[in-house]
Each structure stands twice: as C-alpha cells, then as structure tokens.
Amino acid sequence: MTSPHRSVYRQIAAELADQADAEAAAQHPQLGRVNAELGLVYLMFETAPLTNPHVAKAWQAAEDARQSLNYGTAVSAGADTARARLHLALAELDQADPHPAS
C-alpha cells in the first residue's frame, strides 16, 4: 500500500514493481523486465526538470509503455520505455549544460 505523501511517480513505480514481481513469478521474464525498467523510468521523473520539453516526451512514452503493459505487450512497452529513458537522459544533459554548442 502506498502512503499519501509519496509522489505519483513513486506510486506508479511501486505498482510496476509489484507487477514485475508477479510477472516473474508467473514465468514471464520479458514482461517482468519491462515492468521493472519502466518503474525505474518513473523514479527518474522525481528529479527531472519538468519544464524541459524532453521530459514531456518522456512522460508520453512512459504512459504509452504503461498502456502497452496493460495489454501484455512487452515489445511495444520495451520500445516506449527505451524512448522515455532517452528523452530523460537528454533532459538531464540539458540541465547539466543549459547552453550546449550548436
């Protein structure tokens, strides 16, 4: 059970962790792995610069992945999770160097 003071990102990550455990127990390693990786993505939103356009793209990709997982589709969810991670990494780089060379 999640406590009310936890962020939505942590709540989603906790749900995905529970689902990853359930998929692993059911001998569905791909679905378990994608749930776990997507949970890590949601935890990254805790420190992401929310005004960065890459974060919005990452959020959409993560939500797409979650929707795919609701239908039991690891391939689409894995691709969307990777896309979310890439956008979060780009946002992190933008934050570290707000004036990148052109």
Side-chain angles (χ1 to χ4, degrees):
M1 177 175 203
T2 58
S3 61
H5 70 279
R6 292 172 73 184
S7 74
V8 66
Y9 312 119
R10 288 184 189 192
Q11 291 174 12
I12 293 170
E15 291 168 9
L16 289 164
D18 289 344
Q19 189 61 36
D21 292 341
E23 296 294 357
Q27 302 297 308
H28 301 137
Q30 283 296 103
L31 287 171
R33 184 178 131 253
V34 173
N35 274 281
E37 289 179 357
L38 184 57
L40 293 171
V41 165
Y42 276 97
L43 291 177
M44 292 172 68
F45 283 114
E46 284 283 326
T47 59
L50 298 180
T51 58
N52 185 291
H54 285 292
V55 175
K57 291 177 183 180
W59 179 261
Q60 185 58 55
E63 288 294 290
D64 291 346
R66 238 178 21 144
Q67 185 175 16
S68 293
L69 285 172
N70 286 336
Y71 295 107
T73 309
V75 174
S76 294
D80 290 330
T81 298
R83 201 163 45 94
R85 290 180 68 181
L86 175 60
H87 281 292
L88 285 170
L90 288 168
E92 186 177 320
L93 287 173
D94 286 352
Q95 187 174 12
D97 184 9
H99 305 290
S102 299

